[in-house]
Amino acid sequence: MRTQTDVLVLGGAGVDTVVHVPELPLPFADSYMIRPGIETRAGQSGDFVALGLHALGLRTHHLDMIGDDHEGDLVRTLHRDRGVPFTGVLLPGGTKRAVNLVGPDGRRLSLYDASRAHDSDRFDESAVRELVAVSRHAHVVITQPCASTLPVLREAGVTISTDLHDWDGVDTYHEAFALQADVVFLSTTALTDIERTMRDITGRGRARTVVATAGADGAYLLHEGELTHVPAAAPPAAVVDSNGAGDAFASGFLLGLLNGENTRRCALFGTVAGAYACTVPSTRTDAIGREELLARVAESEQERVADGVLRPS
């Protein structure tokens, strides 16, 4: 069957309410006057990855469960306006939502409403099989009920990526994703031993590549047993919000991967996309375009050649 989709994104659709706070952690007080205000918009991890991949020129389809509610309408409208195909399955508990507290330095604290999804929620397996049959790659978000799709995706023969976000390396919920994906992204935020966790994933699972993002410290890339550090890319403007930076990194990395780049260059794509995301206000869902990303990657490589860090090609 002819491939119609480069990346099938599963899960991670939802709505965030963004609250700008004077500092994080937020000291206890009876009330705060909030500026520039409080805004609700569609866009969670899966949405950001799907929009990022689409902006980079990859054919993308997003599948998730959403509610028959106002928030679900926001998700559907976001995808329609951006031209990203979206298949929404009814989520009886309502569309997933969260509150993001964003500090002046761009750091955030996310509060997720865990009451929306239930263990019994499931995608229609035939719909998953139909979509993956025409896809090159599947990116699986760790939201419910995506774990149940992993055997179907594996059987279909596509490569799989996932993002474990702030996994501590212990929580068992994340293990199904960590051990069944070919490419694993995660944050270093909650890790006590970064290298040990990365090597544990490759040692016990299917992954040949694990990437641990470390914010302003760049990222750590483990590929075929070799661990390297990837410096952070310089943001093209002032940093205003880190929300979505990890999703942008994954999108950039996958662009390189599906274009046949080596993993170090894929990671450079990721750092450039992630740095751009940090300059986008949390109330917006803009993503870097393909031409701008490639231009910034070329600039970064030229700088590293000049500094003697990278050999000229």
Side-chain angles (χ1 to χ4, degrees), residues 16 24 98-102 108-113 166 243:
D16 286 348
L24 283 175
V99 175
N100 288 342
L101 305 184
V102 181
R108 81 179 192 286
L109 169 66
S110 296
L111 307 172
Y112 290 98
D113 182 349
D166 59 346
N243 188 43

Side-chain angles (χ1 to χ4, degrees), residues 43-283:
Q44 292 190 352
S45 183
D47 302 312
F48 284 130
V49 172
L51 295 178
L53 293 167
H54 177 74
L56 291 172
L58 293 173
R59 299 168 299 169
T60 308
H61 195 114
H62 190 186
L63 167 68
D64 200 9
M65 301 186 75
I66 58 173
D68 183 15
D69 48 26
H70 172 64
E71 289 77 13
D73 290 340
L74 291 177
V75 171
R76 284 184 283 267
T77 299
L78 173 65
H79 288 75
R80 184 190 66 223
D81 290 349
R82 297 298 180 85
V84 178
F86 178 74
T87 298
V89 179
L90 180 64
L91 183 62
T95 303
K96 294 181 284 291
R97 22 197 134 174
V99 175
N100 288 342
L101 305 184
V102 181
D105 59 355
R107 292 185 305 144
R108 81 179 192 286
L109 169 66
S110 296
L111 307 172
Y112 290 98
D113 182 349
S115 69
R116 303 292 163 181
H118 301 93
D119 291 342
S120 59
D121 295 331
R122 288 291 183 274
F123 290 122
D124 179 353
E125 185 174 310
S126 63
V128 176
R129 289 186 182 279
E130 182 178 338
L131 289 170
V132 74
V134 293
S135 302
R136 295 175 60 196
H137 180 85
H139 181 79
V140 185
V141 183
I142 60 172
T143 54
Q144 176 69 11
C146 291
S148 65
T149 70
L150 290 168
V152 177
L153 301 176
R154 192 85 270 155
E155 182 183 331
V158 296
T159 52
I160 301 171
S161 59
T162 192
D163 190 338
L164 307 178
H165 296 282
D166 59 346
W167 186 39
D168 59 4
V170 178
D171 190 298
T172 56
Y173 175 81
H174 297 70
E175 279 200 350
F177 300 92
L179 302 183
Q180 294 192 58
D182 302 289
V183 179
V184 176
F185 303 99
L186 74 163
S187 167
T188 62
T189 304
L191 299 180
T192 55
D193 190 324
I194 298 169
E195 181 175 355
R196 183 179 65 185
T197 300
M198 296 175 74
R199 292 194 181 279
D200 184 59
I201 292 171
T202 59
R204 295 195 296 131
R206 301 180 59 93
R208 297 170 55 207
T209 304
V210 179
V211 185
T213 55
D217 291 330
Y220 298 91
L221 169 67
L222 178 63
H223 179 67
E224 301 287 12
E226 181 181 358
L227 181 66
T228 56
H229 176 254
V230 182
V239 172
V240 295
D241 184 13
S242 61
N243 188 43
D247 303 318
F249 184 104
S251 299
F253 191 100
L254 292 177
L255 171 67
L257 184 70
L258 293 175
N259 281 354
E261 302 286 355
N262 65 64
T263 52
R264 290 195 185 190
R265 198 157 197 253
C266 291
L268 177 56
F269 281 27
T271 60
V272 169
Y276 178 93
C278 291
T279 68
V280 178
S282 55
T283 53

Side-chain angles (χ1 to χ4, degrees), residues 8-23:
L8 173 63
V9 178
L10 297 97
V15 169
D16 286 348
T17 296
V18 180
V19 183
H20 293 274
V21 295
E23 61 179 309

